[in-house]
Amino acid sequence: MTTAEHPPALAPLRHARERFLTGRPLPAGVPDDVVAAWRRARFFGVRPDLDGPVRESAHPVDSPLLEAALPVLARIAPALDAGRSALVLTDERLRVLWSTGSAPGDDTCSDLSEREVGHNSAALALRTRRRAEVHGPEHFLDVWQDVSAVSVPLLSPDAEQVLGTVTVASGLCAGCRPHPGAALAEAAAAAVEAELRARARTVERALLDAYEQAARGRERAVVALDGRNRLISEAAARLASPQVLEALERGARAWGSGAGESYEVSFPEDAGSSVEIIPVRHEGRAVGLVAVLAPRPVEPGPPPSLPRPESELVGNSVPWRHAVARATALARTAGPLLVVGERGSGKTTLALELLHGTAPLVVDAAESPEPGLKDDERGETGAAPAEGWGTAGARPLLLRHAERLAQSDVAALNSLLDERPDARLVVTYTPGTSPGPCLQRLLDTLAARSVTLPALRERPEDIRELLPALAPGPAPGSPPLTWSLDALRALERHPWPGNVTELAHLVRALARQRRICGPVRRSELPDPVREGPAGRNLSPMELAERAAILEALRRHGGNKARAAAALGIARATLYRKLREYQGRDAAIRGGMP
């Protein structure tokens, strides 16, 4: 049922809906959850006089839920008053998989999500994970004003996710709760869930049999998965990396959902093992897989030139380590690499570290926008071309500031990458103005092998580790540069628009100009850093949001739970927004209880 403690009378609610649709103030007593649902529908752009989409006759194919539910619902359907009621099955996305019977407006939509049709019992049951009823004017659509519906969620065998819903819809049942079809909907859902559990046990048995047949004891490295369960031998636990297991999980989930009939799984190139995939079938349908792993033989020969450890790439924050790890993994494989980031974020430092030991050719488009990247070209500046860098076995090229390249050289890069997609090339790019079509094509080509470095303001915890690395070596007999706790806090709060480069300039200037001993104090820092970031003005959207929050709090006497429901947002979201505005808005500080 709706989240209202006591169901409202439908006549006043119908009047309130008409006022809502015409933009007039609502009368008192309208349940907050109903108003919030209407507002969500208006936000999603749902038209109350919905003129489409019309339900199509074809239902999604290869749906495990439909396959399990259809025999059950076919047995229950005769208990339905088919002339005045409808029985509807949806999946977890609220797409209609199957229906029977007839009810007012039941032929309107093939998608019952709120984004398509607004408030309804199926969407409410999916969100709350319990039986839900919606009657007449509680709906947003005109065609459902004389409809009462009850929906029950369908839980997976492990009860961890909602697989879909069962709905019984009928003509309007004014003031009658529970809905007359509630017992039928509950019985249908229970029977479908029982069938899903029985099929899951059968699938698990088929997976176990396939695993035992492939394992032959414990000496073989075997993994069996069906998207929910995983069986792994001791040998496989030692051999399979987390990346290999993740790739197998993705394949098992795809096959189990009927997403395709391809039994190829994409593994990382440094997996270190070969994998033989054996599909597990049950009743003619792929339900999982068995993977037999074997160590990949090491071919003799000189080891490839790999990037050395990132000893110079200071920082242990999660976003920084994630970006460096991805860049290092991409650098180990053939092909170009795009390093994206704000100015001063460390793009060139990372690129040189990745190319260490390869004697790269470095070209800076900021110094020469037309460096002449074709063998037979020389830019207008007279710069010598980067001869032969795209040929096999040539020195790799580090191209800095790709956003400053002349269009002729961007076109040359695009042509070369079309011919040599494995060219040894590292490109740094600083986003700014909108790129032209030629540069955008280059960025799109490199997007699959790109890494974005976080700005320094996104990893302030790295500043304390960066300071000693950026400081110049002390003079003989002098102590190294140290920092007071107050100064460190000011450095960590500063937004650093110039990122690590700006921080490096500050550290070196202080080391060069200081004439006193001891830790650097906050008073020695430049004014913008010492005084902290200034509060910014609210944007027009934030001002409108602030006004809506104040109005909702006023109407509900400062009750934040009711205000959040009226605004159609979660209570946690309201609290977060209040915290964001409270620090710089006296009106909200004074208006909040």
Side-chain angles (χ1 to χ4, degrees):
M1 61 184 65
T2 64
T3 54
E5 196 67 31
H6 301 289
L10 296 185
L13 193 59
R14 197 180 302 277
H15 174 67
R17 176 180 175 272
E18 292 174 357
R19 295 183 66 87
F20 177 84
L21 294 178
T22 55
R24 290 176 290 170
L26 295 178
V30 183
D32 292 339
D33 57 333
V34 174
V35 177
W38 291 346
R39 287 178 173 163
R40 286 195 301 272
R42 185 170 60 187
F43 175 79
F44 293 142
V46 179
R47 293 182 52 178
D49 58 343
L50 184 71
D51 56 1
V54 177
R55 179 182 299 169
E56 300 174 356
S57 57
H59 297 300
V61 296
D62 295 329
S63 166
L65 174 61
L66 179 60
E67 184 180 340
L70 195 54
V72 174
L73 297 179
R75 293 195 301 269
I76 292 177
L80 185 74
D81 185 354
R84 293 183 291 179
S85 300
L87 180 63
V88 182
L89 172 72
T90 74
D91 63 10
E92 78 285 356
R93 291 168 52 187
L94 294 175
R95 297 174 300 182
V96 174
L97 299 178
W98 177 89
S99 65
T100 187
S102 177
D106 76 320
D107 60 345
T108 303
C109 299
S110 60
D111 186 334
L112 299 184
S113 65
E114 281 197 334
R115 290 180 177 272
E116 294 293 332
V117 296
H119 190 45
N120 64 88
S121 62
L124 185 57
L126 191 73
R127 186 169 70 249
T128 61
R129 294 174 62 100
R130 60 189 177 91
R131 194 183 82 198
E133 295 185 18
V134 175
H135 297 265
E138 293 176 323
H139 294 101
F140 189 74
L141 294 188
D142 294 341
V143 294
W144 288 344
Q145 293 306 295
D146 295 319
V147 173
S148 288
V150 56
S151 298
V152 180
L154 294 169
L155 302 182
S156 61
D158 55 10
E160 290 187 358
Q161 72 181 108
V162 181
L163 302 178
T165 65
V166 171
T167 298
V168 174
S170 67
L172 188 60
C173 309
C176 93
R177 304 207 184 203
H179 187 284
L184 181 63
E186 294 273 14
V192 172
E193 289 176 350
E195 179 65 20
L196 289 170
R197 286 192 296 271
R199 289 177 178 245
R201 287 192 293 269
T202 305
V203 169
E204 290 171 4
R205 182 72 254 177
L207 189 71
L208 178 60
D209 291 343
Y211 168 80
E212 292 177 344
Q213 182 178 357
R216 302 173 192 164
R218 296 186 176 183
E219 65 276 6
R220 299 187 76 192
V222 176
V223 181
L225 313 98
D226 64 0
R228 296 181 305 274
N229 305 290
R230 178 193 294 180
L231 304 170
I232 181 167
S233 68
E234 293 181 4
R238 293 191 298 268
L239 184 59
S241 67
Q243 292 78 13
V244 169
L245 293 176
E246 182 181 350
L248 291 172
E249 288 279 11
R250 287 196 301 268
R253 285 194 294 268
W255 301 347
S257 65
E261 288 297 322
S262 172
Y263 300 112
E264 294 184 2
V265 179
S266 177
F267 294 101
E269 296 185 14
D270 58 348
S273 60
S274 61
V275 183
E276 177 190 358
I277 301 295
I278 305 170
V280 178
R281 289 182 168 273
H282 175 66
E283 296 181 354
R285 185 170 63 88
V287 296
L289 64 88
V290 169
V292 181
L293 289 74
R296 183 174 293 168
V298 179
E299 298 180 0
S305 176
L306 298 178
R308 60 178 170 169
E310 305 86 37
S311 56
E312 298 180 6
L313 303 175
V314 177
N316 280 299
S317 63
V318 172
W320 177 251
R321 301 311 302 170
H322 175 77
V324 172
R326 172 171 168 78
T328 304
L330 289 171
R332 290 193 176 104
T333 59
L337 174 63
L338 175 65
V339 183
V340 182
E342 296 181 4
R343 61 185 177 91
S345 57
K347 301 186 293 296
T348 300
T349 301
L350 173 61
L352 290 173
E353 191 72 13
L354 297 174
L355 295 172
H356 176 74
T358 63
L361 178 66
V362 180
V363 174
D364 193 338
E367 299 175 359
S368 174
E370 297 190 20
L373 295 176
K374 282 188 176 181
D375 292 345
D376 57 350
E377 286 187 354
R378 184 177 295 268
E380 292 179 3
T381 60
E387 295 182 359
W389 68 268
T391 60
R395 295 162 61 191
L397 173 68
L398 168 56
L399 175 60
R400 301 181 62 206
H401 300 109
E403 70 280 0
R404 304 287 292 275
L405 275 176
Q407 185 167 345
S408 59
D409 279 313
V410 178
L413 278 175
N414 282 326
S415 298
L416 186 136
L417 290 175
D418 287 341
E419 300 170 3
R420 289 292 311 279
D422 59 345
R424 305 177 70 193
L425 168 68
V426 178
V427 177
T428 70
Y429 174 72
T430 303
T433 58
S434 179
C438 203
L439 179 57
Q440 186 60 59
R441 181 192 164 198
L442 175 64
L443 298 177
D444 292 343
T445 301
L446 299 176
R449 292 179 56 81
S450 66
V451 59
T452 300
L453 299 188
L456 184 56
R457 64 181 173 276
E458 297 170 355
R459 52 183 190 110
E461 60 268 38
D462 289 341
I463 288 179
R464 301 191 185 200
E465 196 174 347
L466 282 165
L467 290 173
L470 297 174
S478 299
L481 199 64
T482 57
W483 306 79
S484 68
L485 183 59
D486 202 26
L488 287 172
R489 289 172 177 165
L491 293 172
E492 290 171 343
R493 285 197 295 268
H494 188 62
W496 299 110
N499 293 292
V500 180
T501 299
E502 182 184 357
L503 178 63
H505 286 313
L506 181 146
V507 172
R508 291 164 190 163
L510 279 172
R512 184 174 59 252
Q513 299 167 3
R514 288 193 87 215
R515 297 292 182 266
I516 57 177
C517 298
V520 176
R521 298 186 296 273
R522 180 175 183 150
S523 59
E524 298 178 66
L525 299 176
D527 290 347
V529 181
R530 180 178 64 249
E531 296 170 1
R536 64 177 177 84
N537 294 327
L538 297 180
S539 68
M541 182 172 291
E542 288 171 324
L543 288 171
E545 183 179 67
R546 166 189 171 280
I549 289 174
L550 285 175
E551 174 62 19
L553 288 171
R554 185 193 63 77
R555 283 193 294 107
H556 295 282
N559 188 303
K560 299 182 184 69
R562 293 181 179 176
L567 292 167
I569 60 177
R571 191 187 306 178
T573 302
L574 178 64
Y575 276 99
R576 175 175 59 79
K577 292 184 179 295
L578 289 175
R579 284 195 300 270
E580 290 174 358
Y581 294 133
Q582 187 175 8
R584 55 178 183 265
D585 194 329
I588 286 189
R589 284 201 302 273
M592 287 193 309

